[in-house]
Amino acid sequence: MIRRFVFGTMIETEAILQKPSACMDSLPYLKCSEESLSFSYEMGETDRIYGLGENVRGINKRGWIYESKCSDEPEHLEDRRSLYGAHNFLIVDGRETFGIFIDYPGILTFDIGYTRHDQMTITPSDWNLDLYLIEGDSLRDIVRQFRHLIGRSYIAPRWALGYGQCRWSYMSADEVREVVKNHRDLHIPLDMVYLDIDYMERYKDFTVNEETFPNLDKLVEELKEEHIRLVPIIDAGVKQEEGYSVYEEGMKKGYFCKREDGTPFVAAVWPGKSMLPDMLNKEARDWFGSQYQFLLDKGIEGFWNDMNEPAIFYTEDRLKEVIEEIGTFRGQNLDLDKYFYFTGLVQGLHNNRDYYKQFYHNIDGRQIRHDRVHNLYGYQMTRAAGEAFERLVPDKRILMFSRASYIGMHRYGGIWMGDNKSWWSHILLNLKMLPSLNMCGFLYTGADLGGFGSDTTEDLLLRWMALGIFTPLMRNHAARDTRRQEVYRFENIDGFRHLIGLRYRLLPYLYSEYMKAVLRYDCMFRPLAFDYPADPHAAQVEDQLMLGEELMIAPVCQPNADGRYVYLPETMKLIRFKENGSIEEEILDAGHHYVKVALTDVVLFLRPDHLLPLSQGGQYAEEIDFEQLSYLSYVKTKAVYEYYHDDGCSRDYENPAHLSTIIIDTEGNVTIE
Amino acid sequence: MIRRFVFGTMIETEAILQKPSACMDSLPYLKCSEESLSFSYEMGETDRIYGLGENVRGINKRGWIYESKCSDEPEHLEDRRSLYGAHNFLIVDGRETFGIFIDYPGILTFDIGYTRHDQMTITPSDWNLDLYLIEGDSLRDIVRQFRHLIGRSYIAPRWALGYGQCRWSYMSADEVREVVKNHRDLHIPLDMVYLDIDYMERYKDFTVNEETFPNLDKLVEELKEEHIRLVPIIDAGVKQEEGYSVYEEGMKKGYFCKREDGTPFVAAVWPGKSMLPDMLNKEARDWFGSQYQFLLDKGIEGFWNDMNEPAIFYTEDRLKEVIEEIGTFRGQNLDLDKYFYFTGLVQGLHNNRDYYKQFYHNIDGRQIRHDRVHNLYGYQMTRAAGEAFERLVPDKRILMFSRASYIGMHRYGGIWMGDNKSWWSHILLNLKMLPSLNMCGFLYTGADLGGFGSDTTEDLLLRWMALGIFTPLMRNHAARDTRRQEVYRFENIDGFRHLIGLRYRLLPYLYSEYMKAVLRYDCMFRPLAFDYPADPHAAQVEDQLMLGEELMIAPVCQPNADGRYVYLPETMKLIRFKENGSIEEEILDAGHHYVKVALTDVVLFLRPDHLLPLSQGGQYAEEIDFEQLSYLSYVKTKAVYEYYHDDGCSRDYENPAHLSTIIIDTEGNVTIE
């Protein structure tokens, strides 16, 4: 049951398209205090809190304070309060069990046992919001109800579940060709090369640097012959430059965000001084979306939207002030306080909160200050793209994922988990975000494998891949000035080929699970507690996940480890994919195990009376035969799998012909119905 | 067996006082390449590398590149290459087993499977060093030989094993009194309050702010009546200020570091422009050491030396250049590269490597550029203090620990683990550094409990305490502008009282183990592999430690956890100290266990035929009766403990009367011999 409680008059987010009528009951569970502008809840000693989408820390979010404020935050540390997304959905599980969604476009905090261990306090910046209270039969049921409420998640083309390679600093078409050639020559599967900002002409959206990437349409065509797709980045900020048509047209039409007095708000990002398209203005959004045509026309079929929190390096005005003020320090003795103030001037240029109070959106004719609707910006940018694709290429699925997001955006694109680091701890963070994001509707997701910032190592990349092969978005991505981390840079080519090859063998299953989770408003990845609510230890497990109905995964997240502890809530079959191609199977009893996992092994755990379909593999998604399958199974009486299979590119999602049932009996006979 | 291999002519570090004569054998194990200026070693597939003292990452250091370069590094992240210490001792354990110590005062790197998984490469900045190669019967034997070579570790007064409270921003004597009062009123034991920089007059070493800390000698006396000792900080940099006697005298005598042309090198730290005493010049060192008299005269009995990497906020010259250059950005459009350059100007002020090439030491009349001897600075500052204490108060132990260090410094003081954070991951980092530091001679050590930087939480502090009660230095310390974290700020006072109270019950054992480790050149904390070399899983364990001959510890390092996995290499007795004062005992078989540990439980694991003495507890170290002991034991045939007990303050360490043997037989009869 979902009840909607209305507080004040919210600024519309369109997270929910069909709203239930406002509930006049008094709000259950939560204490609501208009004086302190907050909702509070007394948690039981062992209550768990699930949700909050893209965030730091555990699957169980208890013990910290989180701020819903889309942030360009490259340090995904446990003391951060915000990452790129604002996902105001959580589930309390314990003494009482219920879900909450706060539909509110401004900044709010969730103090979940930070100030007081047993207290949860939710504090919005003002008192205009809708609160949805969701009760259900189970954690999973609560999620499903919520997901129905917010609408069907974005569906990626099937090729987008292939393996992609990216680096901030692929500086030319030839460098891209070299990446492709190295993968193909070494028989390491590859479907995509992502283009970071360097393909553009001086970081101008919807331009191509003709010197370094001449004739992009030809390059796209050439790579398609290799079954590789180019996926370029699009940034939120539009360069301020006379003669640049996107800038000029946007200015002429008044589509950029403005200061209160109506003058342009100039914020700097990659190109320096830039304008922020008013993504919250429907007309401007349509206009921005139409710009993607420039790249669609060149044969591009996928994009990633970046810097759309929006990130702001500096504003024209603030930079000027800071430079002036720094001049006044000339000849001074800077002690502790003065020195910190001095360095703070420069550190505070980047993404300063004050900027968000300095510009306005035009929402249906009303001027709304940005901070009140901050969390919608990336959402509406991606919606601009998603709605444009429906207009421009209605019969085709276009790959789209974003950095910033709000619930509602899940209908238009996926997200990647942002600018993580080459840290072992970020394998685990990747794992922990998966179920939380799935709860909030983000199914096409994954982290930058190997880590974006800082230097990776071969063993880190191998272990991370062993998780990454399960995530719908599987991308190796690294920042400029870090160690090169294309897999062919390392010695253990066989190991990487094995891991990425296994991804392609798993594709029929992963795509089927992804589609079923979308169409059934379900989670592809779940905490163990969702599937084993009666098992008190299941709620303790923060480094394993359920995948589909079939599998439990438990990647190794530590260096120099020959294995890891795994908790089995029931008897399962351990399946080990070894680098030499062999597959070992072993039944393990319920309980705690130390499971050895060699550096290039992949282990997974198959539940009783379930099966796992495998393809024969291939070098790219289109080479995979989704019908010639082999099976791994753990049959006690009868293993049944509901297999979703379509052409992977058209939009006829709900056709029942896409579903078949695969049955394996105790004799090993396979029946397909 | 220890062999010394001489390469070029090293600048003397005095890490080793009695050097074995140079060995003329060819260097075993390592390939030595004069062209690439490096030593290399081919590691076996599962070889472990132990050592490197204060550092990030695992007990097994394999898989990363470390730089020995004492660094003011507040971000103890897994991608950092240096922390505050330079501890060039490591042990290879695997196909071959041997220890290496590189006695070299300059900057060097240890690439331990970073570039290539199976390759270790050690690269000094030049080719003037002594390399010691140590072979032995066991890992522990190698350590003991090395520790004999480098000399006996510093011995702290026994009261320094009490609990201490610190915060950067205790702004007045009254604030200190309040801290003491709160502990005493709530019966939370306390022995020390540490003073961070705020007690000084404008951050000038060996001054006291008379307005906020009037009559420090009286305050010291008053607190001693409460059995509390004040432990002030001393910084490396001396404020440049006319009329300040330490500055004036140092200038007059030429005791500060100079530029090549003999002009003063002005570097800024807390007070702004400051001078760096030439700690490597024996005369200057004696002079600096004598300054501690100022505080000894006020009754102070302990100090901590900080900022002695040395940290440099900026140099006078560089700050001027940066301010000028920033002025040239006026009116420019800063795109990506220009903006990063601009912000880099300011970010690069702090601890810029170039500074270390701009000043010189006077070592026995030779001018030596700082970077060549960088890693000795903190060591020689602490030696200045240690030698002064021997001169000034020869009959008394003075508490001394430092931030920066080099091997050799362990004879003069301990270290704390630097400016960590309120992160769960830093509980584990604290644990991992303990054995590595012990190997390098640093026995009086511990981390800032609850975390120095960022905001702590009650559960984090509770769990961290459950490790901290075992470390010789047990200090709760937090930075300015973070959440207050004195234990009485939280709700669970009973829990904190229980944990800190248990520390005091453990004091007889901990002090005895600390003293035995010092006097026997042994490790108080050891990786499991040191004690169970034949157990292949023991080498995998990165979150448990052996403590003394008796105990294994395994703290909980995760939030929201009701327990953790523990590996027992042999049958042990689990001892659980519960908040209600009860002690539960249970025999656990060798192997893997999931052990439940409530938030205020302390569990430890007692080895067979060993015993643990406990005091009755007390509110401060001097209240502890070290002779009225009770015992926990796990007797199979006979439990024997060698107990070290002295007065805890004088220097008659080696007196055999300090040792007794406690024996418990199968009937539970206790005999003391």
Side-chain angles (χ1 to χ4, degrees):
Chain A
M1 184 178 71
I2 300 184
R3 282 178 282 176
R4 171 172 164 240
F5 296 87
V6 173
F7 298 84
T9 309
M10 70 174 278
I11 299 172
E12 189 48 63
T13 67
E14 295 174 88
I16 292 166
L17 299 177
Q18 299 200 316
K19 298 188 187 190
S21 36
C23 175
M24 296 301 148
D25 301 351
S26 68
L27 183 65
Y29 305 114
L30 305 170
K31 263 190 226 147
C32 159
S33 154
E34 295 222 20
E35 302 95 75
S36 66
L37 274 181
S38 66
F39 303 97
S40 64
Y41 181 71
E42 206 71 25
M43 295 181 286
E45 188 57 32
T46 61
D47 284 9
R48 282 85 48 204
I49 309 294
Y50 299 109
L52 294 188
E54 187 181 42
N55 243 313
V56 296
R57 299 175 76 101
I59 292 173
N60 178 359
K61 309 312 284 185
R62 189 165 179 171
W64 192 239
I65 180 167
Y66 308 86
E67 187 178 43
S68 273
K69 172 179 166 287
C70 296
S71 298
D72 168 23
E73 175 55 82
E75 306 288 332
H76 304 180
L77 296 164
E78 54 177 283
D79 62 12
R80 292 307 190 261
R81 296 181 176 193
S82 310
L83 293 179
Y84 315 87
H87 304 146
N88 305 334
F89 172 68
L90 61 79
I91 306 177
V92 174
D93 179 32
R95 217 161 41 181
E96 299 171 306
T97 297
F98 57 94
I100 304 170
F101 173 57
I102 313 270
D103 195 8
Y104 178 71
I107 292 159
L108 76 166
T109 58
F110 295 87
D111 178 340
I112 306 178
Y114 165 77
T115 300
R116 275 187 50 210
H117 184 69
D118 55 358
Q119 180 97 32
M120 176 165 72
T121 307
I122 304 173
T123 310
S125 304
D126 66 64
W127 211 232
N128 296 295
L129 56 87
D130 281 5
L131 184 152
Y132 293 83
L133 206 128
I134 307 153
E135 292 165 301
D137 297 336
S138 65
L139 294 166
R140 207 161 164 184
D141 177 49
I142 289 170
V143 170
R144 278 190 287 237
Q145 289 187 56
F146 173 62
R147 294 270 304 284
H148 269 281
L149 182 72
I150 59 174
R152 196 179 70 199
S153 298
Y154 161 77
I155 296 177
R158 193 171 61 195
W159 56 262
L161 275 74
Y163 174 61
Q165 178 60 50
C166 188
R167 181 178 178 85
W168 169 22
S169 70
Y170 288 149
M171 302 307 291
S172 69
D174 282 346
E175 218 176 308
V176 170
R177 288 187 182 99
E178 191 196 319
V179 169
V180 172
K181 184 174 185 317
N182 279 316
H183 282 83
R184 289 287 180 255
D185 285 356
L186 293 165
H187 303 290
I188 298 162
L190 186 72
D191 259 284
M192 286 152 281
V193 176
Y194 291 88
L195 296 178
D196 209 313
I197 54 175
D198 307 292
Y199 79 93
M200 292 185 253
E201 193 207 329
R202 276 169 296 138
Y203 316 122
K204 288 186 294 192
D205 278 342
F206 312 113
T207 71
V208 176
N209 185 324
E210 285 296 332
E211 279 178 37
T212 51
F213 288 86
N215 304 314
L216 188 71
D217 47 350
K218 293 282 183 303
L219 179 67
V220 169
E221 206 180 302
E222 172 194 330
L223 292 175
K224 270 198 193 153
E225 278 166 30
E226 298 269 8
H227 310 279
I228 297 289
R229 284 173 172 90
L230 274 185
V231 183
I233 196 169
I234 300 293
D235 288 318
V238 168
K239 187 174 195 303
Q240 185 186 49
E241 184 180 284
E242 300 302 319
Y244 165 39
S245 65
V246 183
Y247 167 71
E248 293 206 332
E249 195 177 326
M251 283 299 284
K252 201 167 119 197
K253 296 191 166 158
Y255 286 160
F256 297 126
C257 293
K258 298 184 181 65
R259 294 185 170 276
E260 193 172 11
D261 63 6
T263 58
F265 176 74
V266 184
V269 277
W270 306 120
K273 290 183 216 166
S274 303
M275 316 305 292
L276 292 172
D278 188 354
M279 306 293 183
L280 280 69
N281 170 346
K282 190 184 176 323
E283 267 184 44
R285 187 162 68 231
D286 288 347
W287 167 78
F288 190 82
S290 300
Q291 307 301 316
Y292 288 80
Q293 182 82 56
F294 170 80
L295 287 158
L296 293 169
D297 284 347
K298 295 186 186 304
I300 295 293
E301 297 173 76
F303 302 87
W304 42 310
N305 283 346
D306 196 11
M307 302 289 280
N308 50 0
E309 292 72 27
I312 295 179
F313 289 173
Y314 58 89
T315 62
E316 196 174 19
D317 297 350
R318 182 65 192 148
L319 180 66
K320 198 169 158 228
E321 284 167 16
V322 165
I323 292 177
E324 290 308 318
E325 191 166 355
I326 284 178
T328 68
F329 283 91
R330 212 175 265 119
Q332 284 197 48
N333 180 35
L334 308 188
D335 68 359
L336 155 62
D337 291 313
K338 280 194 191 161
Y339 178 70
F340 284 3
Y341 179 79
F342 170 85
T343 55
L345 283 173
V346 172
Q347 282 157 9
L349 274 173
H350 212 102
N351 300 322
N352 194 306
R353 279 180 186 242
D354 289 343
Y355 301 157
Y356 300 126
K357 298 176 184 163
Q358 293 167 2
F359 64 98
Y360 288 76
H361 296 278
N362 174 352
I363 305 181
D364 302 327
R366 287 162 67 208
Q367 295 302 112
I368 308 273
R369 202 171 77 175
H370 175 79
D371 60 336
R372 296 191 63 201
V373 289
H374 172 74
N375 289 332
L376 304 183
Y377 193 84
Y379 160 23
Q380 298 295 357
M381 177 190 181
T382 296
R383 181 181 179 184
E387 289 182 343
F389 302 150
E390 283 172 36
R391 256 187 344 261
L392 304 171
V393 275
D395 297 327
K396 199 167 164 182
R397 303 184 206 172
I398 299 292
L399 172 59
M400 164 51 59
F401 57 94
S402 172
R403 197 169 70 181
S405 60
Y406 181 83
I407 290 172
M409 199 204 86
H410 70 286
R411 300 191 299 266
Y412 303 102
I415 64 164
W416 89 101
M417 293 173 186
D419 298 340
N420 64 1
K421 303 264 189 185
S422 299
W423 295 343
W424 287 88
S425 59
H426 277 185
I427 303 180
L428 200 51
L429 186 60
N430 178 349
L431 179 143
K432 289 173 176 176
M433 281 199 221
L434 286 166
S436 308
L437 282 169
N438 279 193
M439 292 175 212
C440 297
F442 296 94
L443 293 176
Y444 187 79
T445 189
D448 286 349
L449 304 176
F452 178 70
S454 86
D455 295 320
T456 203
T457 57
E458 184 178 59
D459 55 345
L460 174 64
L461 186 56
L462 283 164
R463 289 296 196 193
W464 208 327
M465 286 273 177
L467 168 62
I469 60 170
F470 297 108
T471 60
L473 169 57
M474 182 188 181
R475 179 171 79 152
N476 177 340
H477 184 23
R480 196 173 79 164
D481 303 326
T482 62
R483 185 179 189 174
R484 297 251 159 201
Q485 71 187 37
E486 296 83 8
V487 298
Y488 54 79
R489 307 272 178 186
F490 298 97
E491 291 177 88
N492 197 345
I493 300 295
D494 291 344
F496 286 112
R497 187 189 301 112
H498 161 64
L499 292 172
I500 301 170
L502 180 55
R503 161 64 164 217
Y504 283 78
R505 295 202 65 194
L506 289 166
L507 263 191
Y509 176 71
L510 293 172
Y511 179 71
S512 169
E513 287 307 305
Y514 166 68
M515 291 302 293
K516 279 156 52 187
V518 170
L519 299 173
R520 295 168 183 184
Y521 302 89
D522 208 340
C523 294
M524 183 172 168
F525 294 97
R526 297 177 306 282
L528 271 57
F530 277 47
D531 291 54
Y532 303 94
D535 177 343
H537 192 74
Q540 283 285 312
V541 179
E542 288 267 345
D543 57 358
Q544 306 172 202
L545 292 178
M546 305 310 298
L547 163 51
E549 303 300 326
E550 290 68 31
L551 304 183
M552 185 176 75
I553 59 171
V556 173
C557 306
Q558 296 294 331
N560 300 314
D562 68 3
R564 54 159 289 167
Y565 288 105
V566 179
Y567 176 68
L568 272 63
E570 62 178 323
T571 300
M572 294 184 183
K573 181 186 269 188
L574 182 160
I575 298 176
R576 179 186 306 276
F577 296 90
K578 298 191 66 68
E579 189 184 315
N580 65 11
S582 67
I583 299 175
E584 294 173 0
E585 307 185 19
E586 183 188 357
I587 308 292
L588 291 185
D589 289 339
H592 302 287
H593 296 265
Y594 187 86
V595 175
K596 293 229 179 182
V597 189
L599 193 55
T600 55
D601 279 3
V602 172
V603 296
L604 47 80
F605 301 85
L606 184 59
R607 296 171 80 176
D609 282 336
H610 285 286
L611 66 89
L612 174 67
L614 289 175
S615 83
Q616 298 307 306
Q619 293 297 299
Y620 45 91
E622 284 160 2
E623 199 184 22
I624 300 299
D625 186 334
F626 284 78
E627 285 168 5
Q628 288 302 313
L629 304 174
S630 61
Y631 306 98
L632 294 166
S633 62
Y634 177 19
V635 184
K636 292 190 108 166
T637 52
K638 185 173 74 165
V640 180
Y641 181 64
E642 209 176 353
Y643 181 49
Y644 183 98
H645 171 51
D646 65 3
D647 66 4
C649 57
S650 63
R651 294 184 163 193
D652 176 29
Y653 311 123
E654 304 273 6
N655 188 332
H658 298 332
L659 280 169
S660 56
T661 304
I662 301 165
I663 300 165
I664 300 183
D665 66 17
T666 48
E667 310 291 308
N669 301 310
V670 179
T671 324
I672 300 178
E673 291 170 1
Chain B
M1 185 177 70
I2 300 185
R3 283 177 282 175
R4 171 172 164 239
F5 296 88
V6 173
F7 297 84
T9 309
M10 69 174 278
I11 298 172
E12 189 47 65
T13 66
E14 296 175 88
I16 292 165
L17 298 177
Q18 299 199 316
K19 297 188 187 189
S21 38
C23 174
M24 296 301 148
D25 302 350
S26 68
L27 183 66
Y29 304 113
L30 305 171
K31 265 191 226 146
C32 158
S33 154
E34 296 223 19
E35 301 96 75
S36 65
L37 274 179
S38 66
F39 302 98
S40 64
Y41 180 72
E42 206 70 25
M43 294 181 287
E45 188 57 32
T46 61
D47 284 10
R48 281 84 52 203
I49 309 294
Y50 298 109
L52 293 188
E54 187 180 43
N55 243 312
V56 295
R57 299 175 77 99
I59 292 173
N60 178 0
K61 308 313 282 185
R62 189 165 179 170
W64 193 240
I65 180 166
Y66 307 87
E67 187 179 44
S68 272
K69 172 178 165 289
C70 295
S71 297
D72 168 23
E73 175 56 82
E75 305 289 333
H76 304 180
L77 297 164
E78 54 177 282
D79 63 11
R80 292 308 190 261
R81 296 181 175 193
S82 310
L83 294 179
Y84 314 88
H87 303 146
N88 305 333
F89 172 67
L90 61 79
I91 306 178
V92 175
D93 179 32
R95 215 161 45 181
E96 299 170 307
T97 297
F98 57 94
I100 303 171
F101 174 56
I102 314 269
D103 194 7
Y104 178 71
I107 292 158
L108 76 165
T109 57
F110 295 88
D111 178 340
I112 307 178
Y114 165 77
T115 300
R116 275 186 49 209
H117 183 69
D118 55 358
Q119 180 97 32
M120 175 166 71
T121 306
I122 304 173
T123 309
S125 303
D126 65 63
W127 209 233
N128 296 295
L129 56 87
D130 282 5
L131 184 153
Y132 293 82
L133 206 129
I134 307 154
E135 292 164 301
D137 297 337
S138 65
L139 294 166
R140 206 161 165 185
D141 177 49
I142 289 170
V143 169
R144 278 191 288 237
Q145 289 187 56
F146 173 63
R147 294 271 303 285
H148 269 282
L149 182 72
I150 59 174
R152 195 178 71 198
S153 298
Y154 161 78
I155 295 176
R158 194 171 60 195
W159 55 262
L161 275 74
Y163 175 61
Q165 178 60 51
C166 188
R167 181 178 178 84
W168 169 21
S169 70
Y170 287 149
M171 301 307 291
S172 69
D174 282 346
E175 219 176 308
V176 170
R177 288 187 183 99
E178 190 197 321
V179 170
V180 172
K181 184 173 185 320
N182 279 316
H183 283 83
R184 289 288 180 256
D185 285 355
L186 293 165
H187 304 290
I188 298 162
L190 187 72
D191 260 283
M192 286 152 281
V193 176
Y194 291 88
L195 297 177
D196 208 314
I197 53 175
D198 307 292
Y199 78 92
M200 293 185 251
E201 191 207 334
R202 277 170 295 136
Y203 316 122
K204 288 186 295 191
D205 278 341
F206 312 114
T207 70
V208 175
N209 185 324
E210 286 295 333
E211 280 178 37
T212 51
F213 288 85
N215 305 314
L216 188 71
D217 47 352
K218 293 282 183 304
L219 179 67
V220 169
E221 207 181 302
E222 170 194 332
L223 293 175
K224 270 197 194 154
E225 279 165 30
E226 297 269 7
H227 310 279
I228 297 289
R229 284 174 171 90
L230 274 185
V231 183
I233 197 169
I234 301 294
D235 288 316
V238 168
K239 186 174 194 306
Q240 185 187 50
E241 183 180 286
E242 299 302 321
Y244 164 39
S245 65
V246 182
Y247 168 70
E248 293 205 331
E249 194 178 328
M251 283 299 284
K252 199 168 121 199
K253 295 192 166 156
Y255 286 160
F256 296 126
C257 292
K258 299 184 181 67
R259 294 187 170 273
E260 193 171 12
D261 63 6
T263 58
F265 176 75
V266 184
V269 276
W270 304 120
K273 291 184 215 165
S274 303
M275 317 303 292
L276 292 172
D278 188 354
M279 305 292 183
L280 280 70
N281 169 346
K282 189 182 175 328
E283 267 184 43
R285 188 162 65 231
D286 287 349
W287 166 77
F288 190 83
S290 301
Q291 307 302 316
Y292 287 81
Q293 182 82 57
F294 171 80
L295 288 159
L296 292 170
D297 284 347
K298 296 187 186 302
I300 295 293
E301 298 174 75
F303 303 88
W304 42 310
N305 284 344
D306 195 12
M307 302 288 280
N308 51 0
E309 293 72 29
I312 295 179
F313 289 173
Y314 59 88
T315 62
E316 197 175 20
D317 298 350
R318 182 63 192 150
L319 179 66
K320 199 169 156 230
E321 284 166 16
V322 165
I323 291 176
E324 291 307 319
E325 192 166 353
I326 284 177
T328 68
F329 283 91
R330 214 174 263 120
Q332 284 196 48
N333 180 33
L334 308 187
D335 69 359
L336 154 63
D337 291 313
K338 279 193 190 162
Y339 177 70
F340 284 4
Y341 179 80
F342 171 86
T343 55
L345 283 173
V346 172
Q347 281 157 10
L349 274 172
H350 211 102
N351 300 322
N352 194 306
R353 278 181 186 242
D354 289 342
Y355 301 155
Y356 299 126
K357 299 177 182 164
Q358 293 168 1
F359 63 98
Y360 288 76
H361 296 278
N362 174 352
I363 304 180
D364 301 328
R366 287 161 67 207
Q367 296 302 113
I368 308 274
R369 202 171 77 176
H370 175 78
D371 60 334
R372 296 191 60 200
V373 289
H374 172 73
N375 289 332
L376 303 183
Y377 194 85
Y379 160 22
Q380 297 296 356
M381 177 191 182
T382 297
R383 181 180 179 185
E387 290 182 343
F389 302 150
E390 283 172 35
R391 253 185 349 258
L392 304 171
V393 275
D395 297 327
K396 199 167 164 182
R397 303 183 206 172
I398 299 292
L399 172 59
M400 163 52 60
F401 57 94
S402 172
R403 196 170 70 181
S405 60
Y406 180 84
I407 289 171
M409 199 204 86
H410 70 287
R411 300 192 299 267
Y412 303 101
I415 64 165
W416 88 101
M417 294 174 185
D419 298 341
N420 63 3
K421 303 264 189 185
S422 299
W423 294 344
W424 287 87
S425 59
H426 277 186
I427 303 181
L428 201 50
L429 185 61
N430 177 352
L431 179 143
K432 289 173 177 178
M433 281 200 220
L434 286 166
S436 308
L437 282 169
N438 279 193
M439 292 176 212
C440 297
F442 296 94
L443 293 177
Y444 187 78
T445 188
D448 285 350
L449 303 177
F452 178 70
S454 88
D455 295 320
T456 204
T457 57
E458 184 178 58
D459 56 344
L460 175 63
L461 186 56
L462 283 165
R463 289 297 195 192
W464 208 328
M465 286 273 176
L467 168 62
I469 59 169
F470 297 109
T471 61
L473 169 57
M474 182 187 179
R475 179 171 77 153
N476 177 341
H477 184 22
R480 195 175 77 165
D481 303 326
T482 62
R483 184 179 189 175
R484 299 252 159 200
Q485 70 186 39
E486 297 83 8
V487 298
Y488 54 79
R489 308 272 178 185
F490 298 96
E491 291 177 87
N492 197 344
I493 300 295
D494 291 343
F496 286 113
R497 186 189 301 111
H498 161 65
L499 292 171
I500 301 170
L502 181 55
R503 161 65 164 216
Y504 284 78
R505 296 202 66 195
L506 289 166
L507 262 191
Y509 175 72
L510 294 171
Y511 179 70
S512 170
E513 286 307 305
Y514 166 69
M515 290 303 292
K516 280 157 53 187
V518 170
L519 298 173
R520 294 168 182 183
Y521 302 89
D522 209 341
C523 293
M524 182 170 167
F525 294 97
R526 297 176 306 282
L528 271 57
F530 276 48
D531 291 53
Y532 303 93
D535 177 342
H537 191 75
Q540 284 285 311
V541 179
E542 288 268 343
D543 57 359
Q544 306 172 201
L545 292 178
M546 305 309 300
L547 163 51
E549 303 300 324
E550 289 68 29
L551 303 183
M552 187 174 76
I553 59 171
V556 172
C557 307
Q558 295 294 330
N560 300 315
D562 68 4
R564 53 159 289 169
Y565 288 106
V566 179
Y567 176 67
L568 273 63
E570 62 178 322
T571 299
M572 294 184 183
K573 182 185 268 188
L574 182 160
I575 297 175
R576 180 186 306 274
F577 296 90
K578 297 191 66 69
E579 189 184 317
N580 66 10
S582 67
I583 299 175
E584 294 173 358
E585 307 185 19
E586 182 188 358
I587 308 292
L588 290 185
D589 289 338
H592 302 288
H593 297 265
Y594 186 86
V595 174
K596 293 229 178 181
V597 189
L599 193 55
T600 56
D601 278 3
V602 173
V603 296
L604 47 79
F605 301 85
L606 184 60
R607 295 169 80 177
D609 281 336
H610 285 285
L611 66 90
L612 174 67
L614 289 174
S615 83
Q616 298 307 305
Q619 292 297 299
Y620 46 91
E622 284 159 2
E623 198 183 24
I624 300 300
D625 186 334
F626 284 78
E627 285 167 6
Q628 288 301 314
L629 304 175
S630 62
Y631 306 98
L632 295 166
S633 63
Y634 177 19
V635 185
K636 293 191 107 167
T637 53
K638 186 172 74 167
V640 180
Y641 181 64
E642 210 176 352
Y643 181 49
Y644 183 97
H645 171 49
D646 65 4
D647 67 3
C649 58
S650 63
R651 293 185 164 191
D652 176 29
Y653 310 125
E654 304 274 4
N655 188 334
H658 298 332
L659 279 170
S660 57
T661 304
I662 301 165
I663 300 166
I664 301 185
D665 65 17
T666 48
E667 310 293 309
N669 301 309
V670 179
T671 325
I672 300 178
E673 291 171 359

